[in-house]
């Protein structure tokens, strides 16, 4: 199986991520028009519980598998890689089945006791089959990433997105006559169908890639356990398998704990926000709609540029782990500077577009101009979110998941306390929750940054963020002027595209002139290098 370099792997995941984010906006644009903001709110209220359960099952297992498989492949032991995969599957699938049953039996209690809207029950039940499916898919993705082949993960995720969109919209439309609660549950069932197809795509690719490896003479290897004769009883787990399972658990537990903090924070955020808005005197239907607008419209739009950060984070783990094993500190510094600069430079122009064009974006995409103030308030702080992912990945790759856990926990506690203090006040309402989310993103990113700098003695390049912010401000001013003073079309969408495109060109030119982007950087992109 062909493996890719750090840049190639990042570009493959980036391409898939961009396609998925673009596709993901299709249901986000259409779904609110089909089931309304209240229906989206019911969908979003049930989702945090799913995130918590999936984090428990798969939070650290895929990363542990990627790390261990990368080490095994580096040693030329594909048989050990497959044993790692099988151990991870047994652990993850066992947890998946247990929590699926638990979720089914606890759906009524969660909907009626914990959440403020009992209509979430149908959405909650609709999501339960996904738990075991995601558990299997995550393990195979970790295996492929460990072998530094990002193509299977990219292809399966794109296919899953396409299928999810079709069935999500179809089921919600079919069930809408029965009520908003059923329509929201139909949307969740569509997501489940997509996850099933994504898992099948991974299994199909695994079968053909392993078959290709066998034909190439890469398997079986000397470290593969010998087959047990038919006339002898099957032995229990071998010492090798037990040691693999022990190491798998030792790596995954701290990472899972760190991600659980974020997932529980998301869960508590949904519960406490709803209850705080009720204390502020806001009706249940209105608060559900406001929360749906925030989590179902604003946050996904804000996180759209984060697709590069996510791709960098996935590629950084095996790359930094390999460099750390060689004690190659210059290579670690180089990778970190590359990742941080890319995250900042690519995220900044999108933050500027979302700030200047909040109203056109929310109107054109969601038909909801009332959502625009939320987006404008959060957009300038998106840079902290874009930089946060590679910083956290670096801590995990350098065997410091505990440090990432503490940083995330501190930010989560502050966020929840701020939501309680601000969202319950009528003068703040939903904007109190937004302030809490902004403070959380700034605090966690800075804590991760301090931890990485201290851990690897990373030199801080102040010039890069200063140049990025300056370029972003100039771009924002230019776009605002073009949009209001240089009319080229009567249609709002055409004027918006012209102004945004002009702003992007201006930003790109500033980055070239200031040295944020160099010709050498462009040459690293395969298509541009070939064209040049």
């Amino acid at each position: 199986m062909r493996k890719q370099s750090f840049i190639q792997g990042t570009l493959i995941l980036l391409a898939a991520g961009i396609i998925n984010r673009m596709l993901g906006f299709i249901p986000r644009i259409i779904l609110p028009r089909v089931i309304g903001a209240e229906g989206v709110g019911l969908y979003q209220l049930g989702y945090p519980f799913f995130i918590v359960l999936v984090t428990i099952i798969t939070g650290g297992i895929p990363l542990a598998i990627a790390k261990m498989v990368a080490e095994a492949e580096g040693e030329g032991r594909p048989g050990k890689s497959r044993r790692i995969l099988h151990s991870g599957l047994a652990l993850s699938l066992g947890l998946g089945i247990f929590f699926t049953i638990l979720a089914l039996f606890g759906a009524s209690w969660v909907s009626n006791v914990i959440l403020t809207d009992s209509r979430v029950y149908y959405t909650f039940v609709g999501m339960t089959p996904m738990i075991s499916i995601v558990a299997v898919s995550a393990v195979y993705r970790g295996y492929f990433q460990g072998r530094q082949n990002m193509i299977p993960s990219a292809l399966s995720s794109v296919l899953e997105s396409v299928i999810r969109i079709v069935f999500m919209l179809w089921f919600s439309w079919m069930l809408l006559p029965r009520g908003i609660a059923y329509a929201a549950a139909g949307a969740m069932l569509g997501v489940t169908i997509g996850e099933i197809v994504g898992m099948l795509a991974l299994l199909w690719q695994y079968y053909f890639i392993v078959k290709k490896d066998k034909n190439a003479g890469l398997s079986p290897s000397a470290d593969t356990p010998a087959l047990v004769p038919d006339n002898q009883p099957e032995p229990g787990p071998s010492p090798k398998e037990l040691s693999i399972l022990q190491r798998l658990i030792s790596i995954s537990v701290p990472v899972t704990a760190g991600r659980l903090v974020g997932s529980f924070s998301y869960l508590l955020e949904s519960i406490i926000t709803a209850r705080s808005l009720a204390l502020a005197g806001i009706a249940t239907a209105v608060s559900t709609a406001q929360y749906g607008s925030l989590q179902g419209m604003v946050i996904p739009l804000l996180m759209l540029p984060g697709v590069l950060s996510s791709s960098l984070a996935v590629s950084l783990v095996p790359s930094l782990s390999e460099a750390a094993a060689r004690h190659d500190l210059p290579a670690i510094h180089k990778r970190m500077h590359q990742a941080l600069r890319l995250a900042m430079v690519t995220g900044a122009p999108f933050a500027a577009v979302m700030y200047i064009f909040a109203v056109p974006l929310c109107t054109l995409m969601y038909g909801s101009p009332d959502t625009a103030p939320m987006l404008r308030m959060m957009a300038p702080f998106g840079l902290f979110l874009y930089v946060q992912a590679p910083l956290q990945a670096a801590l995990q790759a350098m065997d410091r998941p505990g440090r990432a856990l503490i940083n995330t926990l501190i930010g989560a506690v502050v966020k929840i306390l701020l939501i309680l203090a601000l969202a319950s006040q009528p003068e703040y309402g939903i904007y109190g929750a937004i302030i809490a989310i902004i403070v959380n993103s700034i605090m966690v990113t800075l804590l991760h940054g301090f931890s990485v700098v201290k851990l690897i003695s990373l030199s801080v390049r102040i010039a890069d963020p200063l140049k990025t912010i300056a370029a972003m401000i100039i771009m924002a001013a230019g776009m605002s002027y073009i949009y209001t003073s240089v009319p080229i079309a009567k249609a709002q969408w055409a004027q918006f595209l012209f102004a945004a495109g002009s702003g992007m060109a201006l930003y790109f030119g500033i980055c070239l002139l200031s040295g944020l982007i160099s010709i050498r950087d462009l040459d690293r992109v395969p298509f541009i290098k070939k064209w040049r």
Side-chain angles (χ1 to χ4, degrees):
M1 180 168 66
R2 186 175 66 89
K3 83 174 191 176
Q4 296 98 30
S5 67
F6 169 69
I7 295 295
Q8 288 173 332
T10 300
L11 288 173
I12 290 170
L13 292 175
L14 175 61
I18 291 173
I19 294 171
N20 287 335
R21 294 293 174 97
M22 293 294 108
L23 290 173
F25 273 100
I26 296 175
R28 293 190 185 280
I29 293 169
I30 300 176
L31 194 63
R33 301 173 189 267
V34 175
I35 63 177
E38 189 177 354
V40 174
L42 291 174
Y43 174 86
Q44 291 294 336
L45 280 173
Y47 203 69
F49 281 91
F50 169 73
I51 297 297
V52 168
L53 294 176
V54 167
T55 302
I56 295 173
I57 300 164
T58 65
I61 294 176
L63 186 140
I65 290 173
K67 185 177 177 66
M68 293 172 65
V69 166
E71 295 171 354
E73 292 295 318
E75 297 169 357
R77 303 174 67 187
K80 183 178 179 182
S81 296
R82 284 188 293 279
R83 289 204 306 275
I84 293 167
L85 171 66
H86 297 155
S87 298
L89 275 174
L91 178 61
S92 189
L93 188 57
L95 289 171
I97 294 171
F98 172 77
F99 281 104
T100 298
I101 297 171
L102 186 66
L104 281 172
F105 281 101
S108 179
W109 178 78
V110 169
S111 304
N112 290 285
V113 177
I114 296 181
L115 296 176
T116 58
D117 201 324
S118 60
R119 295 174 296 174
V120 180
Y121 171 79
Y122 302 104
T123 303
F124 198 90
V125 171
M127 78 178 188
T128 51
M130 273 194 289
I131 298 172
S132 297
I133 298 165
V134 172
V136 173
S137 298
V139 170
Y140 277 98
R141 286 194 173 98
Y143 173 77
F144 287 125
Q145 288 162 9
R147 296 188 69 174
Q148 297 187 47
N149 185 352
M150 309 302 176
I151 293 175
S153 297
L155 289 177
S156 66
S157 65
V158 171
L159 181 61
E160 180 265 322
S161 294
V162 173
I163 299 299
R164 182 185 72 239
I165 290 167
V166 173
F167 283 93
M168 190 178 182
L169 297 175
W170 183 30
F171 286 167
S172 61
W173 177 75
M174 284 179 59
L175 293 174
L176 183 60
R178 301 191 62 180
I180 293 176
Y182 285 95
M188 188 64 78
L189 284 174
V191 177
T192 302
I193 299 296
E195 291 289 350
I196 293 173
V197 173
M199 179 189 71
L200 293 176
L202 284 169
L203 294 175
W204 180 80
Q205 290 177 95
Y206 174 78
Y207 171 78
F208 281 100
I209 287 173
V210 170
K211 185 178 180 180
K212 186 176 180 180
D213 284 352
K214 288 181 179 180
N215 292 337
L218 298 177
S219 175
S221 65
D223 66 329
T224 304
L227 295 175
V228 180
D230 293 336
N231 59 353
Q232 291 189 14
E234 182 74 19
S238 68
K240 286 185 178 181
E241 290 169 333
L242 288 174
S243 64
I244 287 173
L245 189 60
Q246 289 169 354
R247 183 152 187 255
L248 192 64
I249 293 172
S250 69
I251 295 173
S252 63
V253 166
V255 177
T256 300
R259 293 184 177 176
L260 266 178
V261 171
S263 299
F264 271 116
S265 171
Y266 182 32
L267 173 59
L268 288 174
E269 177 189 324
S270 66
I271 298 170
I272 292 174
T273 299
R275 295 189 178 275
S276 297
L277 292 175
L279 289 174
I282 300 173
T284 299
V286 176
S287 64
T288 300
Q290 287 182 345
Y291 187 75
S293 296
L294 175 61
Q295 292 292 342
M297 301 179 192
V298 174
I299 298 294
L301 193 58
L302 186 70
M303 292 305 299
L304 178 61
V307 62
L308 176 61
S309 297
S310 302
S311 304
L312 287 169
V314 172
S315 298
L316 267 176
V317 171
S319 180
L320 290 183
S321 298
E322 184 181 352
R326 300 195 311 265
H327 303 288
D328 190 351
L329 196 59
I332 294 173
H333 288 177
K334 179 182 177 182
R335 289 284 179 262
M336 283 307 306
H337 284 304
Q338 282 179 334
L340 294 176
R341 184 160 56 92
L342 277 171
M344 281 190 301
V345 171
T346 56
F350 290 96
V353 168
M354 286 183 281
Y355 180 80
I356 297 297
F357 300 126
V359 174
L361 275 171
C362 292
T363 303
L364 293 171
M365 298 191 69
Y366 304 125
S368 178
D370 294 339
T371 306
M374 300 184 194
L375 179 61
R376 180 175 287 115
M377 187 175 180
M378 299 187 73
F381 303 98
L383 281 177
F384 290 95
L385 292 172
Y386 309 147
V387 172
Q388 190 177 122
L391 288 172
Q392 182 165 323
L395 290 173
Q396 293 168 346
M398 302 299 292
D399 293 325
R400 293 296 187 277
R403 185 68 256 175
L405 167 62
I406 294 172
N407 296 341
T408 307
L409 181 60
I410 293 171
V413 170
V414 171
K415 180 175 70 173
I416 297 301
L417 291 176
L418 283 175
I419 291 175
L420 280 170
L422 298 178
S424 59
Q425 302 299 317
E427 61 268 27
Y428 287 105
I430 193 66
Y431 291 95
I434 293 175
I435 292 171
I437 294 171
I438 291 172
V439 171
N440 169 267
S441 64
I442 295 172
M443 181 176 292
V444 174
T445 302
L446 292 178
L447 288 173
H448 282 349
F450 291 144
S451 299
V452 170
V453 168
K454 183 178 179 181
L455 176 64
I456 62 174
S457 302
L458 184 69
S459 60
V460 180
R461 297 178 178 176
I462 301 295
D464 285 348
L466 291 178
K467 290 178 183 178
T468 303
I469 293 171
M472 184 170 63
I473 293 172
I474 296 171
M475 173 190 174
M479 287 190 302
S480 180
Y481 175 78
I482 292 171
Y483 187 73
T484 57
S485 304
V486 188
I488 64 152
K490 293 182 179 180
Q492 184 187 40
W493 64 268
Q495 184 70 13
F496 159 70
L497 289 177
F498 174 70
S502 301
M504 287 286 185
L506 175 62
Y507 177 83
F508 183 72
I510 295 171
C511 288
L512 282 174
L513 291 174
S514 64
L516 281 172
I517 299 174
S518 65
I519 301 300
R520 183 180 176 186
D521 292 328
L522 298 178
D523 280 342
R524 292 194 179 102
V525 181
F527 297 109
I528 294 179
K529 183 176 181 180
K530 183 179 180 180
W531 179 77
R532 280 171 52 81

